[in-house]
Amino acid sequence: MTLSFAAKPTLRGDRVTLRPVTVADVPDLIAMLADPEGKRLTATRATFTREQLEHWYGTRGEQTDRVDLAIVENTTGRYVGEVVLNELDADNRSCGFRITLMGPRVFGRGYGTEATRLVLSHAFDTVGVHRVELDVYAFNPRARHVYEKVGFVLEGTKRDALLWDGEWIDCHVMAMLRKDWRSTR
């Protein structure tokens, strides 16, 4: 069996639904990328034109090594972020993970936790991934707490991995194996 993220699922939870991103989501993506706190938490320095973002979201459905999903609030239908499985290494049955929320107006509502669990279930139970890994910066303890809560394990720290606003920041490497996922269910 060849591992692939060619299928782009829609995953429904109690609070949020994850669905493939579309060009129609670009205005929300622009707003998310304009949030200074969100840029800091994800260490995003790049700036993008609307055309670049439309091309990006417009081509995500064609990718077989990643799946980019919009996080949509069930009660309002509003885009509240994105969750991504990327850098698929089919030979080693592993991939990366990242998530970004729209900022303080959606923090603390359980959206990130539920979106993480939904996409991990897809990765481990549907696609057959063995390992999912992520990086989280030391100045983002809220995200690290969520990752630990769902079962990610700290594997190590890259010291002084990021220079942000003149300060060196550590980067924590975390991962979850399929057996870790099964033990949390």
Side-chain angles (χ1 to χ4, degrees):
M1 174 173 103
T2 302
L3 208 62
S4 172
F5 286 140
K8 309 303 182 197
T10 296
L11 310 169
R12 186 165 177 81
D14 294 333
R15 293 182 172 108
V16 297
T17 296
L18 309 182
R19 60 153 175 79
V21 297
T22 69
V23 172
D25 296 316
V26 168
D28 292 314
L29 177 60
I30 290 170
M32 190 167 62
L33 290 171
D35 175 46
E37 180 67 358
K39 289 179 86 161
R40 183 179 77 86
L41 294 175
T42 60
T44 302
R45 291 189 172 109
T47 57
F48 305 95
T49 66
R50 179 181 203 86
E51 292 76 25
Q52 288 171 316
L53 295 175
E54 287 173 350
H55 175 76
W56 180 255
Y57 265 13
T59 59
R60 298 306 85 201
E62 304 163 13
Q63 310 305 309
T64 60
D65 65 341
R66 61 184 294 133
V67 59
D68 298 69
L69 302 173
I71 305 170
V72 178
E73 189 177 44
N74 285 343
T75 57
T76 65
R78 291 189 323 185
Y79 174 107
V80 295
E82 70 173 15
V83 62
V84 178
L85 296 171
N86 59 9
E87 300 176 2
L88 179 64
D89 178 344
D91 293 333
N92 293 306
R93 306 186 78 74
S94 66
C95 67
F97 167 87
R98 72 175 174 75
I99 186 169
T100 307
L101 296 177
M102 289 289 288
R105 77 172 175 82
V106 299
F107 291 166
R109 297 180 183 217
Y111 299 156
T113 301
E114 186 173 74
T116 300
R117 285 186 174 131
L118 287 168
V119 82
L120 289 173
S121 177
H122 176 71
F124 291 121
D125 300 334
T126 304
V127 178
V129 169
H130 174 73
R131 173 187 170 84
V132 177
E133 64 183 66
L134 63 87
D135 290 344
V136 60
Y137 294 105
F139 54 39
N140 196 351
R142 183 177 54 245
R144 182 171 170 181
H145 170 75
V146 169
Y147 302 145
E148 289 171 339
K149 181 167 63 171
V150 301
F152 278 92
V153 174
L154 177 66
E155 294 189 326
T157 299
K158 296 186 275 187
R159 298 176 305 139
D160 291 354
L162 174 70
L163 180 60
W164 193 265
D165 287 340
E167 181 182 351
W168 287 105
I169 309 298
D170 291 346
C171 179
H172 305 297
V173 179
M174 303 181 79
M176 183 184 292
L177 304 178
R178 183 194 308 247
K179 67 181 178 180
D180 302 328
W181 173 248
R182 288 186 176 154
S183 73
T184 64
R185 305 219 37 177

